[in-house]
Each structure stands twice: as C-alpha cells, then as structure tokens.
Amino acid sequence: MGTFIKGRIDYLSGEEQTGREWFEMIDHGENAGRTLRAFCEMDDVGLSRDVSMLLDANGRPRDAFCRVVKHGARAGTTLFLCEDGQLECEGEIAATGRMSQRVPLDGQLGYLGLHPLVGDALVALSRGTDDKGTFRTVHGLANSVAPAGDEGLYAMPTAIDVAYLGEESVTVPAGTFAARRYALRWHPEWEPAQLWVHGPDALFLRLTWDQIGAAYELVELHEGR
C-alpha cells in the first residue's frame, strides 16, 4: 500500500460555515490507482452525501457509489461501474424508484462528477496544463446538474469549460501549498469559479465562486502509511 491521506474541507458563505466535507485517499501502490472516499454535509439544504470511488493510476473512475440523504430521508443510492465503452448505473431514486442504465462511451470515462469537492477537483486531471489560459470543454458524466447535486441522481452527460491559469502558492487553513490554478465555467453566461489543486493527484485546496458568494477551503490534512 502507498500513502493514506485524510482531511476536511469547509463550505463557506461569507463568514458563515454552510457545510463540511471529510475525505480519505488511499493509494494502492505500484500504479494500481487509489480509493477516494468522502462524506459531505450541506447545512443550508439539509443534505448529506456519501461517496466512494475507485480511480485508476490516471485518476479516471473505475467504479463508484453515492448515497444522498436530504432532510433525513434517502433521496437516492446508486452504483456506477465504468469500463471501456460503457458505464452501468444501478440504483434506487426516491422520486422514481429502482433504475438501471447502460450509457455508451467513446472509450474510457475520464470524469465522473458525484459532487464531493475532492472528486470534482479531478476535472483538473482531465484538462491538463497545456494551452494556458484557454478554455477547453471536459466532457463526462454526473449524477446531477443541480447546484447542490440533489436532483436526478442518475448518470447524465455533463460538460465543463476549464482553463489552466498557471502555478502559484496558496495558503489555506491546512497550510501553504504549491498549486495549479484553474477556471471552471458550467454555463457560457456564468462567471467562472476559481479552483486550486495540489500535486499529481489534484488534491483539492480551494474553490471560490463570486457569482454565488461561496468559498470552499481545505482546513485539515493528515498523511501517513
């Protein structure tokens, strides 16, 4: 086994904390990929999200699980199985009941958005660092396109315009890190959000989105074996 990382991210609106996210990353060693786990709480909408993902050595999803609970009731539970040319989704959604999907893919899925920030930050790996300052569309799948990630909860296409903006030093409550900065644009008319990630695994450091007055920061980080 390789390194084991755990930490916490705070969700902020101005000076008010509106939620939090605990996460773990377990490196399986020898280029075998890693497991990412996250538990998220969003106080403002009464939501909790439990996510586990297996990623390959390039940060691409191989399988994933997501359970969303809203106001104390299960909104949906889904399992995603990714293989070359296809994604399978099996689950139960409170609004619609049991469901089963087969989504054809052009090769292997590069990005699966299940809405924990440590998972959303992986869009940086799909974008890369070439052509600095230019927006490029990252196509993938998500279980919701709602801002809180609480609607739909099945596999649906998503497209995010992402620009690599360069390297800089970023200080968050968890410390000071060498970071790569990206701009994320979910809609052509929306102001881009700003994302900072660290290292080859795109560890989430910070995200700000002035359009909704929100900020998200890494406040704790622990590493071991």
Side-chain angles (χ1 to χ4, degrees), residues 75-97:
T77 299
T78 41
L79 172 68
F80 300 87
L81 300 174
C82 310
E83 57 186 66
D84 288 349
Q86 179 176 265
L87 176 137
E88 299 181 40
C89 177
E90 300 286 341
E92 185 171 8
I93 313 301
T96 56

Side-chain angles (χ1 to χ4, degrees), residues 2-206:
T3 57
F4 174 88
I5 295 173
K6 65 179 180 179
R8 193 182 95 231
I9 298 164
D10 280 354
Y11 303 174
L12 305 168
S13 179
E15 297 298 320
E16 179 185 0
Q17 184 180 131
T18 59
R20 61 214 56 84
E21 177 175 318
W22 297 271
F23 67 88
E24 298 175 337
M25 295 184 185
I26 302 96
D27 180 4
H28 298 296
E30 298 296 330
N31 295 317
R34 57 195 164 112
T35 293
L36 182 154
R37 295 199 294 251
F39 186 80
C40 317
E41 292 180 335
M42 301 177 70
D43 302 335
D44 49 343
V45 294
L47 180 146
S48 68
R49 178 181 298 108
D50 187 6
V51 172
S52 179
M53 304 177 71
L54 177 65
L55 307 169
D56 69 12
N58 296 309
R60 296 174 299 194
R62 302 306 298 164
D63 63 45
F65 166 86
C66 182
R67 180 191 300 111
V68 173
V69 174
K70 192 170 184 181
H71 300 303
R74 186 180 67 172
T77 299
T78 41
L79 172 68
F80 300 87
L81 300 174
C82 310
E83 57 186 66
D84 288 349
Q86 179 176 265
L87 176 137
E88 299 181 40
C89 177
E90 300 286 341
E92 185 171 8
I93 313 301
T96 56
R98 287 295 301 271
M99 53 82 65
S100 180
Q101 283 180 283
R102 302 293 183 272
V103 181
L105 302 172
D106 182 13
Q108 187 175 344
L109 180 65
Y111 177 72
L112 178 63
L114 301 182
H115 295 280
L117 287 169
V118 287
D120 291 349
L122 299 177
V123 73
L125 299 181
S126 294
R127 170 56 179 85
T129 58
D130 62 318
D131 207 4
K132 181 179 176 181
T134 299
F135 279 96
R136 182 178 302 152
T137 302
V138 174
H139 295 278
L141 294 172
N143 68 338
S144 178
V145 294
D150 59 346
E151 299 175 10
L153 304 181
Y154 54 86
M156 57 189 73
T158 186
I160 308 171
D161 292 335
V162 186
Y164 169 64
L165 301 181
E167 298 184 5
E168 57 189 64
S169 177
V170 170
T171 298
V172 293
T176 299
F177 299 85
R180 301 189 304 281
R181 183 175 180 176
Y182 293 83
L184 312 180
R185 189 169 61 199
W186 290 277
H187 190 282
E189 298 179 359
W190 291 357
E191 184 177 355
Q194 304 296 306
L195 169 69
W196 291 262
V197 300
H198 169 71
D201 294 332
L203 173 69
F204 177 92
L205 296 176
R206 191 167 192 260

